[in-house]
Amino acid sequence: MTDRFAGVSTHVLDTGRGAPAPDVPVRIERRDAEGWTRLAEGRTDNDGRLRDWVPAGDWRAGDYRLLFLVEAHLGDTAFFPEITVAFRVQDPDRHHHVPLLLNRYGYTTYRGS
C-alpha cells in the first residue's frame, strides 16, 4: 500500500486471443452493513493491468468484489458479458493481485502476487 493507493491490482488476459485485454472497465466494491459500496472504477491499460486506483483510506480487512465489464471486449455474443469476482482481505497491508483469465466461453481467477 502507498500513502495514496491501496495494494490491490488486477490483470485481464484474453486467453482466446493470447493477449492482454486493454480498456476493460473494472469496478471494486466492499461489503458493509448496508450491502455493497463502490470504492473505485477504472479501465485496464494497454497491457491489461489496473493498479493504483483504490484510495488507501478505503482499504481495510473485509469482503470485496471486482466487477469486470467484458462485453465490449468480447463482443455482443459473449456468453459472460460481465464477471464478478468476490474475495476476502484479511491482511490489508499485503498486496492483493486478483487476475482474470478470460475467453468467450469461460474464465478463471486466482490470488496472484
Side-chain angles (χ1 to χ4, degrees):
M1 183 165 20
T2 69
D3 290 339
R4 295 182 48 215
F5 297 104
V8 61
S9 60
T10 190
H11 189 192
V12 182
L13 298 169
D14 185 329
T15 59
R17 296 177 184 170
D23 204 35
V24 172
V26 183
R27 183 170 66 222
I28 188 167
E29 300 174 336
R30 184 181 58 242
R31 186 176 8 216
D32 57 28
E34 288 80 42
W36 292 98
T37 301
R38 183 180 304 186
L39 300 181
E41 296 180 40
R43 290 180 173 269
T44 57
D45 64 16
N46 287 336
D47 193 36
R49 296 179 183 276
L50 182 57
R51 56 187 153 230
D52 297 336
W53 62 304
V54 177
D58 290 334
W59 190 247
R60 57 183 172 264
D63 294 339
Y64 292 83
R65 68 183 179 189
L66 294 171
L67 176 64
F68 298 88
L69 303 173
V70 298
E71 184 174 18
H73 175 77
L74 294 175
D76 60 2
T77 61
F79 187 71
F80 298 105
E82 62 183 50
I83 297 165
T84 301
V85 177
F87 61 100
R88 180 163 292 151
V89 172
Q90 294 182 8
D91 182 358
D93 292 328
R94 285 187 66 192
H95 184 81
H96 290 73
H97 184 63
V98 185
L100 179 68
L101 305 178
L102 168 71
N103 68 55
R104 182 169 303 284
Y105 296 106
Y107 63 91
T108 190
T109 187
Y110 57 95
R111 167 78 192 266
S113 59

